[in-house]
Structures are given as structure tokens and as C-alpha cells.
């Protein structure tokens, strides 16, 4: 490792879920002071409290996952006519609102310094349809739209806000080791992926690292699909 984040303070939300673990590991190895937050964000005031407690933040990794009762991926599929209102509300409360609130809380300090990076982990299902994931896709689509608009709005302040939109990425929340070990599961997923394999967590962390350094200084409001060619 060459210390690409030496001296930078990074706040990672939901650090124990989705892309959080590999991001925390790699960013620490690259010299960042990582604040790995695992709070419950259902309280609308929680994001502001976390940001205030963290102090100066150079990079926000906005990483959020849906309710535990609706994970892993094999538990998420269902007909759109069968979903319950509380399921959609749960995705709004645990995926959409926390990202909006964290960005709102952290922007004032970044705007004042005229410097900052925000990297969101969303999902590629808002780019290409997977039947049975309508409610989840709608929530992730809201995130992506927020990144596009807000990324352009804050670009004049030298703040780069971009998103990584994975699918078929091995992680501790959706495509878990236990789920992928189920008979035939991995083969059925790989059949949809041009790259011929599922993604690995460290690959997403490496892309997040690039978006957190000066390498991304001319990128703003981009949603980058990461799905082994599945979105092409």
C-alpha cells in the first residue's frame, strides 16, 4: 500500500454491512483515519449527531443497506403486487433518508473548506431491471437520482459526490457466503454475468478509494455501474 489516503479522515456509515468491511480495511491500509460508524439511523437526527461527533471529515462513504429481515438477496424477491407498505417504507427509512441526511449534515463543512469527497454505494438494479426487486430498485433509484443532482450542485465548491452502483457483488449483506454456498445459487447468478463470476468486495473498495482521492477531481454526479458487464 502507498498511503493514498494518508492524513485524511474518512467516515464510513453502516460500516459492518454491505460494502463497509472491505472499504474500512483498505482505507485504513492506505493511511486514512477511518471512523467506522455502525449506528442505527432510523432517528432523523442520528446522521447529524454522527457527523458532529466525527468532527472534520475529508471523505464520506455513504454506505447503507436495507432491513435485515429482507436480506440476503434470496429473501428480497417477490411480486410487486404482494409487497407490503412497510417494506417500501423500511427501504426509504434505512436506505434513502439516511443518505440524504448524512449528505445534508456534512456538506456545510465541506463547502466552507471548498474541499471534500462523498462516495455513495447504491445499486445497479436501478439501471437494469431484475423482476421481483421493484421496491428495492425504486429506493436505490432515488439514491442514484439524488447523487446526479447533488453532485452537480456541489461541484462548484470542489466537492466530488459520486456513486458506485454494484450488482452481483459478494458482501456480508446481500450476496453472502452462506447464500452463495446454496446448491446451484452461484451458477444461476453467474449465468447472468458476462464476466463469468461474481464481484469481490475488495474490487468495490478499490473503486471507492479512487473516488476518494485526487484521481476523481474532475468527476461529479456520476453513478458508476459495477456488475461485470451485466448493465451493458
Amino acid at each position: 500500500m502507498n498511503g493514498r489516503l494518508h492524513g485524511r479522515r474518512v467516515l464510513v456509515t453502516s460500516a459492518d454491512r454491505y460494502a463497509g468491511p472491505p472499504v474500512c480495511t483498505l482505507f485504513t491500509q492506505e493511511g486514512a483515519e477511518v471512523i467506522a460508524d455502525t449506528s442505527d439511523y432510523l432517528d432523523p437526527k442520528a446522521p447529524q449527531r454522527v457527523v458532529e461527533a466525527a468532527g472534520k471529515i475529508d471523505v464520506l462513504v455513504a454506505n447503507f443497506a436495507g432491513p435485515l429481515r429482507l436480506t440476503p438477496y434470496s429473501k428480497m424477491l417477490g411480486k410487486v403486487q404482494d409487497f407490503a407498505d412497510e417494506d417500501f417504507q423500511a427501504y426509504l427509512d434505512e436506505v434513502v433518508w439516511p443518505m440524504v441526511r448524512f449528505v445534508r449534515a456534512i456538506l456545510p463543512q465541506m463547502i466552507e473548506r471548498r474541499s471534500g469527497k462523498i462516495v455513495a454505494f447504491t445499486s445497479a438494479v436501478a439501471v437494469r431491471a431484475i423482476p421481483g426487486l421493484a421496491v428495492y430498485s425504486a429506493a436505490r433509484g432515488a439514491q442514484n437520482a439524488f447523487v446526479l443532482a447533488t453532485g452537480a450542485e456541489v461541484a462548484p465548491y470542489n466537492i466530488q459526490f459520486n456513486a458506485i452502483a454494484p450488482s452481483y457483488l459478494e458482501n456480508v449483506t446481500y450476496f453472502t457466503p452462506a447464500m452463495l454456498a446454496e446448491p446451484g445459487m452461484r451458477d444461476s447468478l453467474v449465468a447472468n454475468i458476462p464476466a463469468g463470476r461474481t464481484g469481490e468486495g475488495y474490487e468495490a473498495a478499490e473503486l471507492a478509494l479512487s473516488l476518494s482521492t485526487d484521481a476523481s477531481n474532475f468527476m461529479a454526479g456520476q453513478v458508476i455501474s459495477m456488475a461485470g458487464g451485466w448493465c451493458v
Side-chain angles (χ1 to χ4, degrees), residues 179-200:
M179 192 200 82
L180 291 171
E182 295 174 11
M185 177 60 74
R186 185 181 292 273
D187 288 343
S188 68
L189 296 175
V190 169
N192 297 313
I193 308 170
R197 64 176 179 87
T198 53
E200 297 187 42

Side-chain angles (χ1 to χ4, degrees), residues 137-200:
S137 300
R140 291 300 190 183
Q143 284 188 309
N144 288 346
F146 182 73
V147 172
L148 294 175
T150 308
E153 183 176 333
V154 301
Y157 300 99
N158 192 34
I159 299 167
Q160 292 79 47
F161 182 15
N162 298 288
I164 299 170
S167 192
Y168 301 115
L169 179 74
E170 296 183 29
N171 62 84
V172 296
T173 300
Y174 296 116
F175 294 96
T176 66
M179 192 200 82
L180 291 171
E182 295 174 11
M185 177 60 74
R186 185 181 292 273
D187 288 343
S188 68
L189 296 175
V190 169
N192 297 313
I193 308 170
R197 64 176 179 87
T198 53
E200 297 187 42

Side-chain angles (χ1 to χ4, degrees), residues 1-8 26-32 209 213:
M1 300 299 171
N2 59 15
R4 287 173 284 181
L5 290 175
H6 179 71
R8 303 214 182 173
L26 179 62
F27 281 36
T28 299
Q29 292 172 345
E30 290 288 348
L209 176 64
T213 69

Side-chain angles (χ1 to χ4, degrees), residues 56-104:
K56 179 180 181 290
I57 296 299
D58 300 295
V59 180
L60 168 66
V61 179
N63 170 67
F64 304 102
L68 288 170
R69 64 182 173 79
L70 295 176
T71 60
Y73 169 79
S74 54
K75 290 183 180 179
M76 296 166 60
L77 297 167
K79 295 179 180 179
V80 67
Q81 63 267 32
D82 295 334
F83 84 89
D85 286 0
E86 54 265 31
D87 293 339
F88 190 26
Q89 188 63 54
Y91 281 124
L92 295 177
D93 290 341
E94 298 191 35
V95 172
V96 179
W97 270 115
M99 187 177 82
V100 173
R101 289 170 177 149
F102 265 100
V103 171
R104 181 176 62 190

Side-chain angles (χ1 to χ4, degrees), residues 116-130:
K117 305 281 186 181
I118 303 174
V119 181
F121 275 95
T122 63
S123 175
V125 298
V127 180
R128 177 177 172 180
I130 295 182

